[in-house]
Amino acid sequence: MSPFPFPPESLAVLAAACWALAALFSAPVARKMGAFAFTRWRMVFATVMLGGWASLAGTWGSLNLALVGVLVLSGFIGIFIGDTVLFACMNRLGPRRSGILFATHSMMSAVLAALFLGERMGAVAMLGCALVLSGVMCAIAFGKRAGSASSLEATRGRLAVGVGLGLIAALGQALGTLVVKPVVGPDVDPVAASAVRMAAGFGFHAMLLVGWKPARLTAVMAPRDWQLLAGSAFLSMAMGMTLILAALKYGSAGLVGMLSSVSPILLLPLLWWKTKVPPTLGAMAGALLTVAGVVLILARLH
C-alpha cells in the first residue's frame, strides 16, 4: 500500500524533472571535464550525499546482504554499462540520434516488466505509454532547427554499430531498474538503497581509469565548476535516482520506466527560458503527445 495520496509512479516524473533541471546547468562543466570524468565525479558527490543522509537517518539497517548484492548488480548494469555505452553511442551518432535510441528504454521497461514481473496494463495505460514514447521520440527527432548543421550530427564509424550501442544502453537502463523491483520491499529505505547503487556504479566506473586516458580528468577546475558539479549530482543522481527507487518500491516498474523517459520534454521549456529561442514545431508536437500520454497514465492509475 502506497503512503502517498497520489500514484507512486508519478515520482518518476519528478525524477525526470530533476534530470532535466540538472542538464540545464551542468552541460558547460560536462564539456570541460569530459563525459567520463564528469560522470565519475558526479557519482562521488552523489554517493557522499546519499551515504551521509542514510547515516544521519540511521537507515542502513533496512538493507540486507542479498539486497546489497542486487543493488550492486543494478549499478553495474544500469549505471556503469548503460552510461558508458551511451557515451560511446553519442561519440558515433551525436546527442540527437543517441537520444532517440535511448528513449526506447521506456518501451523495454514495460515489455520486460510484463514478461518477468507479470505486470499488465489496461488499454488506457497502453495508449498513454504509446503517446509518451511517440512524443519523446518526436520531440528529439524533430527538435533540430533547419540550417543548424553540426559536426555533432556526423556519423563516425559504422551506423549499425552506433545503433547497436544505443539500444544496448537503453536495455541497460531498463534492466538496471527492473532487477531492483522484486527486492525493494516496504521496509527498505530508498536513500540507503540509492547510495549503495551509486557507490557500486562509481566503483565499476573508476576501473576505467586504469590504462585508459580518456577517462581521466585533465581540465583545470575552478570552484564554480565544482559547485555546478555538486548541484548536478544532488539533482540528477541523489534526488533523481532516489525518486526512481521510491517509485519502484510502490509502483509498476513498466510505468515507472515509461514516465521517467519524459526528461527531454521537460527540458524544452527550460531551454526556451534560458536561450530565449522557442522549441521547433516538431518538438512542441512531441511535447503535447507526451503530456497527453502522462495524463492518461496517471488518470488511469488514480
Side-chain angles (χ1 to χ4, degrees), residues 32-47:
K32 182 176 181 178
M33 297 180 70
F36 291 99
F38 174 74
T39 301
R40 183 176 64 255
W41 276 102
R42 201 165 57 156
M43 289 180 191
V44 171
F45 278 98
T47 301

Side-chain angles (χ1 to χ4, degrees), residues 1-187:
M1 181 67 68
S2 169
F4 307 112
F6 49 80
E9 290 87 351
S10 60
L11 293 173
V13 180
L14 292 179
C18 289
W19 296 335
L21 187 58
L24 185 69
F25 63 81
S26 60
V29 67
R31 284 194 297 267
K32 182 176 181 178
M33 297 180 70
F36 291 99
F38 174 74
T39 301
R40 183 176 64 255
W41 276 102
R42 201 165 57 156
M43 289 180 191
V44 171
F45 278 98
T47 301
V48 171
M49 292 173 187
L50 291 166
W53 179 261
S55 297
L56 289 174
T59 54
W60 290 113
S62 68
L63 308 181
N64 56 48
L65 189 60
L67 175 56
V68 169
V70 173
L71 291 169
V72 170
L73 177 62
S74 175
F76 174 74
I77 297 173
I79 298 178
F80 175 63
I81 292 182
D83 282 359
T84 303
V85 175
L86 179 60
F87 287 134
C89 176
M90 284 183 181
N91 288 338
R92 285 178 173 266
L93 302 183
R96 183 176 62 88
R97 287 181 293 176
S98 62
I100 295 172
L101 291 167
F102 188 68
T104 61
H105 79 80
S106 57
M107 179 180 63
M108 293 179 183
S109 294
V111 171
L112 291 172
L115 289 175
F116 297 105
L117 301 180
E119 294 184 358
R120 295 292 182 266
M121 297 184 192
V124 175
M126 290 179 67
L127 175 60
C129 289
L131 289 174
V132 168
L133 180 60
S134 301
V136 171
M137 297 187 78
C138 177
I140 298 173
F142 302 107
K144 179 187 173 187
R145 293 191 172 277
S148 59
S150 169
S151 59
L152 292 176
E153 295 293 321
T155 300
R156 297 172 175 83
R158 293 179 58 190
L159 176 64
V161 174
V163 172
L165 290 171
L167 294 176
I168 291 172
L171 182 60
Q173 172 74 8
L175 286 173
T177 55
L178 185 77
V179 298
V180 175
K181 170 63 179 175
V183 295
V184 180
D187 297 327

